[in-house]
Amino acid sequence: QVQVAESGGGLVQAGGSLRLSCTASGLTFDAYAMEWFRQAPGKERERVSCINWNGLSTVYADSVKGRFTISRDNAKNTLYLQMNGLKPEDTAMYYCATDRHAGCPGSPKHWGQGTQVTVSS
């Protein structure tokens, strides 16, 4: 059984930083791409970033390019999202997802429960 769990969300002032983490178990972690999504109230879920199986290829939404960095540690079965220069419009529930394939752009399969990020102005 695949389990996915996010952590690291919280309340931060505009311009601040947060680092989200996601651990996944029950699968061969380094065989699959991993993704971050977010969903703000009243809005559709948005893909934030994707990283391929070995971490050498990444994709970002235009809204976060240059501010967010996705990375992974396959030895620890852990995915990260470093978020710098946070803006109020980054406020959302952030979700981690395992992918069906090794490369990006992805096709999410297993989801975590999400971690809330709130950015105050």
Side-chain angles (χ1 to χ4, degrees):
Q1 181 179 357
V2 177
Q3 293 186 321
V4 180
E6 306 92 339
S7 62
L11 173 64
V12 63
Q13 289 189 333
S17 298
L18 281 175
R19 188 194 196 200
L20 305 184
S21 298
C22 169
T23 58
S25 60
L27 78 167
T28 305
F29 184 80
D30 60 3
Y32 300 100
M34 293 290 295
E35 305 190 71
W36 286 102
F37 288 79
R38 67 185 181 186
Q39 187 168 20
K43 295 188 176 181
E44 293 187 355
R45 188 170 292 189
E46 171 190 23
R47 177 181 281 111
V48 175
S49 185
C50 178
I51 187 167
N52 77 330
W53 68 278
N54 63 3
L56 295 182
S57 178
T58 57
V59 176
Y60 295 94
D62 288 343
S63 57
V64 307
K65 279 181 182 176
R67 300 187 298 121
F68 290 11
T69 302
I70 191 171
S71 62
R72 65 190 295 163
D73 185 339
N74 286 344
K76 296 181 179 180
N77 281 24
T78 302
L79 174 73
Y80 303 100
L81 185 68
Q82 178 67 44
M83 305 186 294
N84 298 329
L86 283 162
K87 304 175 181 180
E89 51 263 44
D90 293 319
T91 295
M93 184 71 77
Y94 282 71
Y95 298 91
C96 170
T98 68
D99 206 271
R100 300 176 191 275
H101 309 295
C104 297
S107 178
K109 183 174 183 179
H110 301 287
W111 297 83
Q113 294 298 308
T115 186
Q116 178 68 39
V117 172
T118 303
V119 184
S120 63
S121 56

